[in-house]
Amino acid sequence: MRTSGLRDYLDGPHKAARDVVRAGLADAELFDLAVRLPRDEYRDKVLDLLQQITADGHPARGFPKEYGGEGDLGGFIAGFEMLAFGDLSLMVKAGVQFGLFAGAILHLGTEKHHERYLADAVGGRLLGCFAMTETGHGSNVQALGTTATYDAPTGEFVVHTPTAAARKDYIGNAARHGRMAAVFAQLVVGGESHGVHCLLVPIRTDDGTAMPGVALSDCGPKLGLNGVDNGRIVFDQVRVPRDALLDRYAQVDADGNYQSEIQNPDRRFFTMLGTLVQGRVSVGGAAINASKVALTIAIKYGAQRRQFGAPGSAEEALLLDYRMHQRRLLPLLARTYALHFAQGELVDEFVRVFGEDGTEHDRRALEAQAAGTKALGTWHATETIQMCREACGGAGYLAENRLATLKADTDVFTTFEGDNTVLLQLVAKGLLTDYRESFGKLDPLGTARFIAAQAVEIAVEKAALRPLIERLRDVVPNRSDAADPDAGLRDDAYHSGLLRFREEHMLSGVARRLKAGIDAGDEPFEVFNRCQDHVIAAGRAHVDRIVLEAFQGAVLDAPEESRELLKDVYDLHALATIEAERAWYLEHGRLSPGRSKAITALVNELCAAVRPTAVELVDAFGIPGGAVEVPMVVPSQHE
């Protein structure tokens, strides 16, 4: 069967890890927990499920063998993404415990921390939190208010919340289950602040009582993910030993001397945060998988549910046979395939970079790639799940049919592990610079100054050197266009050429605007603020092109039977992407009106071409039956 072959191809090199999670989800009754259980019971059930997947060995895949792991980072991330087919609170709680808390110990700690804590964290015996976010500081981690001041006479750090704005907020595992927190705080040694560092701070005793000086509270009911016990933490002069500092990148000796091999504080900060990029990689993949669940439900519903029909006919038409229904769902299905392959490339690069081959430059590039894929993947999930809900009508509004829970649980994905708008700014910054060692802060002022000083001329010169013919190609219809306006529209090179033109045009344009403002003597912050929408658009244009080319490569590499199935899906994604931005291409003379209309007509034709295989395409996702077998369709009188 083609579906079986395509599923194997989609599963890729980590099929074994995916199948382990599939089997666990198929056996678990977890697809209606959010609807069926009161909040505290739901949280405790999610903890039970977390311990179950821990016993099954899945979380251990991503950790070193000497601490009970398997050293398989790619398999760990693939398995984590698969949890999104089930209960998303379980997926997020697993991400907090293993990706963030245990990940901080692994990547920011040294051997003494690994020996003392890592096996228990990986084995689920030490439940932890990742205490970074503060009430007054979300994405601006470098400005956190919590302090960790070294007291040399006692050899301890004193962790303190100096203001209400410095309260740790929205911390997973904090409200009910966490015993220890990886706390990010401004490190103060000898009266001097050395920026944000991470320390391990116990927050509860074994019986669940808050530790002295630690105030814990519950964030309360949320829009979704109510199986995760998000809480708030306030520290009142809490003392921890000197070795509580996770000191891979900076050390404090007993006499209170601070030292780090990375002298530049900004570079040190971004190096520490860069090691935690795994969370961002995983959230993007989970969002894409949540989109697969919604599309499977909606497409299978549309392939069975009948409504209306030809005048005078007693036979009602299937929803999925209506062109507008195809238009609503099938381009989203095509984009989901595209994002799936882009995510696969990202995971492969993550494994390479965090193996023996990765350099600091590679890690910076990986951060930008992860930021962009996470932004597009999570926005896509929000759009897709909403459209699937609408496409299922009232049935999609019923909680028993999963779309309501999917919609609520994924909504926050666009803002955690980095607000998507901020992440696309990071992508654009990476395009305008080469992540030089002296790179400044991620705030608008630092970005604008660095761009103005070092990167603008490079970007402008690159744009100016492009051959003129690339700018003029397809500006107006030529004779062949007039005779056949859809000529070449299914050419891969044409697709990537248009997306690359848009990316480079936007990049050079924002560079010129920034330079002009700086040259005019305007305040750098104001210059950047005026261009921020342009910066974000350039970042998104770049990621659109990366996703497209990942899909191109996947089609070329696919086995022959799957390649045939994927080609129409790829073309649908490519042309729907161009169609969505046709106003920009028309404004910039890159499309003629006739060709723009031809693209729209071809998107319609491709929807019709994909329609017969739509169910086959969602079946290839390999989602466990309980996740998508929802009671929406009843047999009609015509069946």
Side-chain angles (χ1 to χ4, degrees):
M1 291 179 62
R2 289 196 305 177
T3 299
S4 176
L6 182 55
R7 180 184 301 182
D8 289 345
Y9 185 56
L10 291 176
D11 280 351
H14 307 298
K15 175 176 171 52
R18 296 183 192 275
D19 282 342
V20 168
V21 179
R22 270 197 189 100
L25 292 177
D27 293 338
E29 296 180 3
L30 48 68
F31 302 114
D32 62 348
L33 297 178
V35 178
R36 180 164 48 87
L37 298 180
R39 188 181 59 173
D40 286 346
E41 290 183 33
Y42 182 21
R43 289 173 168 181
D44 290 344
K45 179 63 176 177
V46 168
L47 177 60
D48 289 344
L49 292 167
L50 181 77
Q51 300 292 7
Q52 181 179 317
I53 66 169
T54 302
D56 291 341
H58 162 61
R61 284 184 180 274
F63 292 89
K65 294 181 179 179
E66 56 265 36
Y67 303 109
E70 298 181 21
D72 179 11
L73 269 177
F76 173 78
I77 295 175
F80 177 86
E81 293 171 358
M82 295 294 287
L83 290 174
F85 287 165
D87 184 276
L88 286 163
S89 285
L90 172 60
M91 183 213 74
V92 171
K93 195 171 184 75
V96 170
Q97 174 66 26
F98 305 112
L100 296 178
F101 175 64
I105 296 171
L106 175 64
H107 294 297
L108 299 181
T110 49
E111 186 175 357
K112 60 180 178 288
H113 303 109
H114 300 162
E115 292 287 345
R116 184 173 179 182
Y117 300 113
L118 199 53
D120 284 341
V122 173
R125 295 179 293 276
L126 175 62
L127 298 176
C129 309
F130 187 78
M132 176 182 283
T133 301
E134 294 180 357
T135 303
H137 294 95
S139 297
N140 190 7
V141 177
Q142 209 165 5
L144 293 178
T146 302
T147 57
T149 304
Y150 186 64
D151 181 14
T154 64
E156 297 173 315
F157 285 102
V158 181
V159 181
H160 186 61
T161 305
T163 66
R167 176 186 66 185
K168 295 297 180 182
D169 209 344
Y170 223 90
I171 308 303
N173 272 352
R176 194 171 179 89
H177 299 137
R179 296 293 185 264
M180 178 176 280
V183 178
F184 288 78
Q186 302 288 346
L187 195 72
V188 181
V189 181
E192 181 182 355
S193 178
H194 295 278
V196 173
H197 293 63
C198 186
L199 302 91
L200 295 178
V201 182
I203 61 171
R204 279 190 180 87
T205 62
D206 289 341
D207 65 3
T209 304
M211 295 291 288
V214 179
L216 303 169
S217 57
D218 199 317
C219 289
K222 307 183 294 288
L223 176 64
L225 297 176
N226 283 301
V228 182
D229 53 323
N230 292 96
R232 301 182 174 105
I233 312 175
V234 175
F235 301 100
D236 184 8
Q237 308 292 340
V238 175
R239 290 180 172 269
V240 294
R242 179 170 59 91
D243 62 7
L245 175 68
L246 296 178
D247 58 353
R248 177 179 179 182
Y249 294 103
Q251 301 79 40
V252 176
D253 66 20
D255 296 326
N257 298 306
Y258 176 91
Q259 61 182 12
S260 173
E261 293 183 0
I262 307 175
Q263 296 298 315
N264 184 289
D266 290 333
R267 181 174 163 234
R268 183 169 59 242
F269 170 75
F270 289 118
T271 298
M272 287 191 288
L273 255 61
T275 63
L276 304 174
V277 71
Q278 178 176 315
R280 199 167 283 166
V281 173
S282 300
V283 167
I288 296 164
N289 274 5
S291 300
K292 295 174 187 176
V293 175
L295 283 163
T296 301
I297 293 169
I299 286 174
K300 288 191 171 183
Y301 179 71
Q304 299 174 61
R305 176 71 153 80
R306 295 180 179 273
Q307 186 162 286
F308 302 112
S313 172
E315 182 73 14
E316 293 181 304
L318 290 169
L319 291 181
L320 202 54
D321 288 337
Y322 286 103
R323 177 55 49 82
M324 195 59 214
H325 210 77
Q326 296 169 8
R327 268 285 194 162
R328 297 166 90 182
L329 296 178
L330 298 186
L332 294 174
L333 174 62
R335 196 194 310 168
T336 301
Y337 264 81
L339 286 164
H340 172 93
F341 291 120
Q343 175 71 10
E345 287 192 352
L346 174 62
V347 172
D348 289 346
E349 181 65 4
F350 175 83
V351 172
R352 186 191 72 79
V353 169
F354 277 82
E356 298 180 357
D357 296 335
T359 65
E360 182 179 345
H361 179 274
D362 291 335
R363 291 197 178 198
R364 296 294 191 195
L366 175 68
E367 289 173 39
Q369 185 181 357
T373 305
K374 183 267 179 183
L376 262 64
T378 55
W379 270 329
H380 173 69
T382 297
E383 178 187 359
T384 299
I385 295 166
Q386 174 62 26
M387 186 59 72
C388 289
R389 206 294 299 158
E390 293 180 26
C392 293
Y397 201 63
L398 294 174
E400 67 178 352
N401 291 323
R402 289 209 71 193
L403 293 172
T405 303
L406 281 171
K407 180 179 167 69
D409 285 350
T410 58
D411 194 73
V412 75
F413 285 14
T414 59
T415 49
F416 76 36
E417 288 296 336
D419 178 278
N420 285 354
T421 299
V422 176
L423 293 183
L424 285 183
Q425 182 174 300
L426 171 64
V427 173
K429 180 201 72 176
L431 296 172
L432 287 162
T433 72
D434 198 24
Y435 287 106
R436 300 182 186 185
E437 288 188 355
S438 58
F439 187 77
K441 299 179 180 179
L442 263 180
D443 56 64
L445 180 62
T447 303
R449 284 178 173 164
F450 189 81
I451 290 170
Q454 301 187 47
V456 175
E457 293 298 338
I458 296 172
V460 172
E461 288 172 10
K462 181 179 177 182
L465 290 172
R466 279 203 314 272
L468 184 61
I469 188 63
E470 287 189 22
R471 298 187 180 202
L472 296 178
R473 177 186 169 201
D474 206 41
V475 167
V476 295
N478 56 31
R479 290 182 180 178
S480 63
D481 287 341
D484 185 6
D486 65 350
L489 288 183
R490 299 189 68 169
D491 182 351
D492 292 3
Y494 179 71
H495 304 150
S496 55
L498 276 181
L499 267 65
R500 190 174 291 276
F501 172 83
R502 185 166 185 263
E503 174 190 348
E504 293 185 357
H505 191 284
M506 284 189 164
L507 179 62
S508 60
V510 74
R512 288 193 299 271
R513 288 182 65 190
L514 289 166
K515 176 172 169 52
I518 298 294
D519 288 349
D522 295 341
E523 287 293 323
F525 182 92
E526 180 57 30
V527 172
F528 183 87
N529 199 38
R530 290 199 302 261
C531 299
Q532 193 170 23
D533 60 329
H534 198 161
V535 170
I536 301 304
R540 177 148 195 166
H542 169 75
V543 185
D544 279 340
R545 194 260 304 169
I546 294 297
V547 170
L548 177 98
E549 293 182 350
F551 201 173
Q552 285 181 348
V555 174
L556 290 174
D557 293 341
E560 186 174 351
E561 61 177 11
S562 297
R563 190 183 312 135
E564 177 186 354
L565 193 60
L566 287 172
K567 184 61 173 76
D568 284 344
V569 183
Y570 162 76
D571 285 337
L572 177 56
H573 168 70
L575 291 166
T577 300
I578 295 166
E579 182 190 37
E581 302 297 341
R582 64 188 181 278
W584 188 92
Y585 287 114
L586 285 163
E587 286 176 350
H588 292 80
R590 194 61 177 171
L591 280 183
S592 66
R595 178 154 287 206
S596 177
K597 292 177 182 178
I599 287 173
T600 294
L602 187 50
V603 169
N604 283 338
E605 292 177 20
L606 286 165
C607 283
V610 169
R611 189 289 179 233
T613 60
V615 172
E616 191 176 353
L617 288 164
V618 295
D619 280 343
F621 294 145
I623 301 172
V628 290
E629 289 173 1
V630 292
M632 288 200 295
V633 180
V634 296
S636 76
Q637 60 182 330
H638 307 293
E639 295 178 329

